[in-house]
Amino acid sequence: MSQGSLFSAQWHRVRDVCPRLASDVTVSRHVYRGRTAYVLHRRDTADCHRLDVAGFELVDRLDGETSVGQVWDQAIVERDKDAPTQDEWIALLADLHAADLMVVDRHIAEERLFDRRQKHRASERQQRYLNPLYLRFALHDPDQWLTTLTPLAKRLFSRTAGLLWLMLMAVACISAFSQGVRLWDALTDATLLSARTTLLFVLVYPPLKFLHELAHALAVKRAGGEVHETGMALMILLPLPYVDASASALFPDKQDRMLVSAAGILVELSAAAIGLLLWATTDGLLQEIGLVLFMTGGISTLLLNGNPLLKFDGYYLLADWIEIPNLASRSRRTVLDGLRSLLTGKSSRQRRTEDRAEKAWLHAYGIFSATYRTLLMLSIAWVLSDRWFFMGVMLAVLVVILSVVLPLWRAVSALFRDPAYHCRRAVVLAIALPLLLLMMAVWVPVPHTSVVPGVVWIPEEAEIRVSSNCDINDVFVQPGQQVKAGDVLFACEEPELQARLHELVARVDELQVRRAGAAARDPLELGTLDAELQASEAAIQDTRERMAAITQRAGFDGLFDVVGTAALQGRALTRGDVVAFVIPPTTRTVRLAIDERAIARFDEDLQAVQLRIQGPHGRARVFDTAVLRRMPKATRMVSSAALSTYGGGMHEADPAGDGTLLKNAVFDVELAWPQVAEFAAVGSHVGVRLVYAPAPLLERMGTKLRQTLAGRVAS
């Protein structure tokens, strides 16, 4: 007997009621975790309810003539201290009545104790129509024509079919392993998200989903069950067929129940395997269809149907495997009971029969499933907002309401309704503690750091730029050669300067002839010609100096390398172009790109910068560094493709570019290389840790949310 009171204040209202099980209720004997249980099912409602042996013995005595009080009195005599309390007996009857499994002999005031019927039906409607991830609309009863397919079902789910399925999976795994690099390149190709691939997905997924649901129905018929509902579901706004395979809950054999749950997953994995083999052995349209089929079957299995944290096939498969029926609802009640006990300091009023492992499963599943569902819905909203901003925002708001606002509202309502929470401990933990945490989030600064990838680069003076438009006519050093400071690398010829020089020389010759004649006849003109001659000679000197500057020399010792093609001879250059590099042996810098939305925080709140550099023996060391310069203007071009997703960076590369062109503008930042750091290859990645001034958590979250929304609106 539980530790609660044996008697109930509501007992006088129900003791004379004579209920009975509905006439169409069927009873199945199951074994869960070594304990016998009885599953009650009513076809009209398609609901199931599980009772332990003690509870079923009491319910089985209700025949419409024996009253509730008589059954309880008899249980007290037979079981003594193991008999249920009056509250437990009333709660059991209320559960059965809410599931429409119990029929009361007459409409009396006591039925107010069983008013959960409407709540139960409202909960069913909520699950069917208010789940944004999976909306269901019933259309047809397919049981009659599915019965004719029973022989096919027995062949499909036979040992021979199972061996063939395993062989298909083995061949697909071998193919995936042998062509892993090629498959990865295909899956990460930017063209994979094209309109053509999207259309193929829309055409492939509904037929695959039809086969998926048909497999569930056939698995039910194989074990002798019935399927009385099929219809259309909206999964993330994509219309798909579905069938109601809940009849499998009555199968006494655990293996039959698991097979029904796994049938759809087996079909999707088969489709993924066939798609992989089709992709590996064909080309053209068939190869594209194979890749889409592989992705559709694989992604659907991993994220949805095969994932036990969502209430799809994987959930029921897990529940049957660990032998914990009603895993989702029981885990939710277990977590809520644990929170209630934590707040009030009192144990649960309900009798618990779970063993230690079962309690661990219930607590873990309740926490992880709720977290995963919320994160999945927010991720879907994020993806949708990239193309349909309003739809994504509305979905995110709905997720926040269902996952945060409604649970908080229920919790606050429970605090006022349930007398158990009307104690000092509950008030402190339920009200004062959240307020304290909220105040800390608003006012208490917390350390703020971020880690971004940087790329090892060379100093700016190691870059060789041309100061004017010119053509390379002489090359003195080939790429890959070592050079010393002052060595001539290549020489440019600027046609405009050469023409300018010839023009100035001719002008000087003309002025000298005119000056010789003016010296004899016009002393006043002689002064004017002398001034003009002096200016022309200065222009000649300047032009020759500019032509000499086009000859490029090495600024220090290092390795000569060029940008683009190795053939320098004859290349036409534009003023400001980076033509080549002289890579010093050890001198380095670090370049990183800061998103333009975060540059204000970088300029105002940055306190320190650290580099995490991998040593030659695999050991990483952390060095303090400083910002050498920051470009004053944002640009979509980065110094190295290693800073974009093309080369393993964090900034999304524009598919139209060569890896150095980004989709969004960034600020180029150059960091000093620590003098005590060891050699690092140019172009390799290093971790850059940016330490900002501490800020309250809520402020940081608000800033991040505003930046994210602004970026999505702009895109």
Side-chain angles (χ1 to χ4, degrees):
M1 187 176 65
S2 66
Q3 296 178 356
S5 174
L6 180 64
F7 302 103
S8 172
Q10 308 295 332
W11 183 246
H12 64 282
R13 298 185 177 182
V14 298
R15 64 186 178 189
D16 297 326
V17 179
C18 299
R20 61 178 176 83
L21 291 176
S23 58
D24 59 342
V25 171
T26 59
V27 180
S28 300
R29 182 181 180 276
H30 293 190
V31 177
Y32 296 107
R33 307 184 71 83
R35 299 190 297 269
T36 301
Y38 293 88
V39 177
L40 279 59
H41 174 264
R42 189 174 185 181
R43 175 178 171 179
D44 290 342
T45 62
D47 284 335
C48 296
H49 198 85
R50 184 175 67 114
L51 298 176
D52 58 15
V53 175
F56 180 73
E57 288 179 355
L58 295 179
V59 173
D60 192 44
R61 296 176 183 177
L62 298 175
D63 53 7
E65 297 179 358
T66 306
S67 68
V68 171
Q70 290 174 337
V71 172
W72 186 76
D73 291 338
Q74 188 176 0
I76 289 293
V77 173
E78 294 176 353
R79 303 182 185 178
D80 194 13
K81 64 180 182 178
D82 293 328
T85 65
Q86 291 177 351
D87 280 328
E88 291 173 343
W89 182 217
I90 293 174
L92 175 59
L93 295 176
D95 288 338
L96 296 176
H97 188 76
D100 287 336
L101 298 172
M102 189 70 68
V103 177
V104 182
D105 55 346
R106 61 188 183 278
H107 294 285
I108 54 177
E110 285 78 359
E111 281 206 79
R112 288 181 300 174
L113 295 176
F114 308 122
D115 61 355
R116 299 197 330 190
R117 178 196 300 254
Q118 296 301 324
K119 294 181 181 179
H120 173 74
R121 292 179 176 176
S123 175
E124 181 183 1
R125 287 194 297 269
Q126 179 179 353
Q127 293 179 359
R128 183 180 289 267
Y129 302 120
L130 295 182
N131 182 356
L133 188 65
Y134 194 65
L135 304 175
R136 293 177 295 157
F137 305 92
L139 299 176
H140 175 59
D141 183 346
D143 189 70
Q144 185 174 357
W145 63 268
L146 283 174
T147 302
T148 62
L149 299 179
T150 302
L152 174 63
K154 292 183 178 180
R155 291 188 180 93
L156 288 176
F157 298 102
S158 61
R159 292 181 181 271
T160 302
L163 291 175
L164 292 175
W165 184 87
L166 290 175
M167 291 175 59
L168 176 63
M169 292 298 106
V171 172
C173 290
I174 293 173
S175 178
F177 180 77
S178 62
Q179 303 193 43
V181 176
R182 179 170 166 242
L183 179 60
W184 176 255
D185 292 339
L187 293 175
T188 55
D189 191 351
T191 60
L192 192 64
L193 300 178
S194 64
R196 179 186 179 93
T197 307
T198 303
L199 178 61
L200 288 176
F201 170 80
V202 173
L203 294 177
V204 165
Y205 194 58
L208 177 60
K209 187 64 177 178
F210 173 79
L211 295 176
H212 173 110
E213 297 300 323
L214 181 61
H216 283 309
L218 293 178
V220 173
K221 301 304 292 185
R222 168 192 169 275
E226 299 178 349
V227 179
H228 290 285
E229 182 182 320
T230 184
M232 189 64 64
L234 292 179
M235 181 180 293
I236 319 176
L237 304 180
L238 181 65
L240 301 169
Y242 82 93
V243 299
D244 181 8
S246 59
S248 62
L250 297 177
F251 297 161
D253 191 347
K254 168 183 173 179
Q255 304 298 328
D256 289 338
R257 299 194 301 271
M258 292 180 63
L259 183 59
V260 172
S261 301
I265 299 175
L266 296 177
V267 168
E268 290 185 352
L269 291 178
S270 300
I274 294 173
L276 179 62
L277 296 177
L278 192 64
W279 169 82
T281 56
T282 61
D283 53 14
L285 180 60
L286 284 178
Q287 188 178 54
E288 293 182 33
I289 294 175
L291 184 61
V292 170
L293 198 58
F294 169 73
M295 293 177 56
T296 303
I299 293 176
S300 179
T301 299
L302 291 175
L303 296 183
L304 295 175
N305 289 303
N307 192 332
L309 297 178
L310 297 174
K311 206 170 182 180
F312 295 129
D313 300 341
Y315 161 78
Y316 295 102
L317 185 62
L318 174 65
D320 287 322
W321 178 56
I322 62 178
E323 298 183 356
I324 304 180
N326 302 322
L327 176 61
S329 58
R330 291 180 60 197
S331 63
R332 184 167 55 251
R333 287 198 301 267
T334 300
V335 172
L336 292 177
D337 286 345
L339 291 175
R340 183 181 184 278
S341 299
L342 179 64
L343 290 176
T344 63
K346 302 175 183 178
S347 59
S348 175
R349 294 172 297 184
Q350 298 182 356
R351 181 179 300 191
R352 310 306 295 258
T353 59
E354 299 92 353
D355 55 34
R356 181 176 299 178
E358 191 172 4
K359 289 180 180 178
W361 273 109
L362 293 174
H363 280 96
Y365 187 85
I367 296 172
F368 286 112
S369 63
T371 304
Y372 179 80
R373 285 195 304 270
T374 303
L375 293 179
L376 178 63
M377 291 302 301
L378 290 176
S379 300
I380 294 173
W382 173 258
V383 173
L384 289 178
S385 67
D386 190 24
R387 180 158 302 202
W388 302 289
F389 179 74
F390 179 77
M391 183 184 299
V393 171
M394 293 301 296
L395 182 59
V397 171
L398 181 60
V399 172
V400 171
I401 291 175
L402 295 179
S403 303
V404 179
V405 177
L406 286 182
L408 286 177
W409 173 255
R410 296 192 187 104
V412 173
S413 300
L415 289 176
F416 289 98
R417 291 197 314 266
D418 194 338
Y421 294 109
H422 300 169
C423 61
R424 181 177 302 176
R425 175 190 174 101
V427 171
V428 171
L429 293 179
I431 298 179
L433 185 59
L435 287 177
L436 178 62
L437 294 176
L438 180 61
M439 293 171 60
M440 292 176 61
V442 172
W443 287 303
V444 177
V446 294
H448 184 195
T449 61
S450 63
V451 178
V452 297
V455 60
V456 178
W457 208 239
I458 55 178
E460 185 179 10
E461 55 270 20
E463 298 178 350
I464 300 175
R465 300 175 181 267
V466 292
S467 57
S468 59
N469 300 336
C470 65
D471 298 330
I472 298 179
N473 59 353
D474 291 312
V475 179
F476 303 101
V477 178
Q478 296 301 319
Q481 292 184 358
Q482 294 288 338
V483 297
K484 295 183 178 296
D487 288 352
V488 179
L489 304 176
F490 59 87
C492 286
E493 180 182 31
E494 187 174 349
E496 294 181 359
L497 284 180
Q498 192 70 32
R500 174 65 174 164
L501 180 61
H502 290 319
E503 180 183 348
L504 290 173
V505 170
R507 179 64 175 167
V508 167
D509 291 342
E510 178 188 354
L511 290 174
Q512 287 177 346
V513 172
R514 291 174 59 188
R515 182 182 182 282
R521 65 176 182 272
D522 190 356
L524 183 62
E525 183 183 1
L526 181 63
T528 303
L529 291 174
D530 285 342
E532 189 174 352
L533 181 62
Q534 185 177 2
S536 297
E537 289 176 346
I540 290 176
Q541 182 65 25
D542 179 68
T543 303
R544 286 174 174 170
E545 290 178 358
R546 289 176 60 187
M547 292 179 64
I550 295 177
T551 301
Q552 301 292 338
R553 299 177 181 272
F556 40 76
D557 299 347
L559 180 70
F560 179 64
D561 197 6
V562 299
V563 176
T565 176
L568 287 177
Q569 188 79 29
R571 283 179 60 179
L573 305 177
T574 304
R575 181 179 180 180
D577 282 351
V578 178
V579 186
F581 304 98
V582 176
I583 304 175
T586 57
T587 305
R588 298 288 186 267
T589 61
V590 175
R591 302 287 281 272
L592 67 150
I594 303 296
D595 193 291
E596 63 177 347
R597 293 170 296 181
I599 195 63
R601 181 185 61 183
F602 181 86
D603 292 337
E604 298 171 4
D605 299 334
L606 186 66
Q607 291 186 332
V609 184
Q610 296 176 329
L611 297 179
R612 187 177 187 272
I613 302 175
Q614 197 78 15
H617 302 293
R619 296 181 179 179
R621 296 180 60 189
V622 177
F623 302 91
D624 292 328
T625 185
V627 177
L628 292 179
R629 66 181 181 89
R630 174 182 78 77
M631 294 297 292
K633 185 178 180 181
T635 177
R636 292 176 57 200
M637 295 294 299
V638 289
S639 55
S640 171
L643 293 173
S644 71
T645 52
Y646 185 86
M650 62 179 293
H651 299 283
E652 188 173 2
D654 192 327
D658 59 353
T660 59
L661 180 64
L662 304 180
K663 282 190 173 183
N664 301 311
V666 297
F667 283 85
D668 182 53
V669 176
E670 185 175 14
L671 305 178
W673 184 259
Q675 294 182 355
V676 295
E678 299 178 356
F679 170 81
V682 175
S684 61
H685 283 104
V686 293
V688 181
R689 185 171 181 260
L690 305 175
V691 182
Y692 296 103
L697 185 61
L698 198 61
E699 177 184 333
R700 289 168 49 187
M701 293 176 61
T703 302
K704 185 66 176 178
L705 181 60
R706 288 194 302 271
Q707 292 176 352
T708 302
L709 292 178
R712 280 302 161 99
V713 171
S715 63

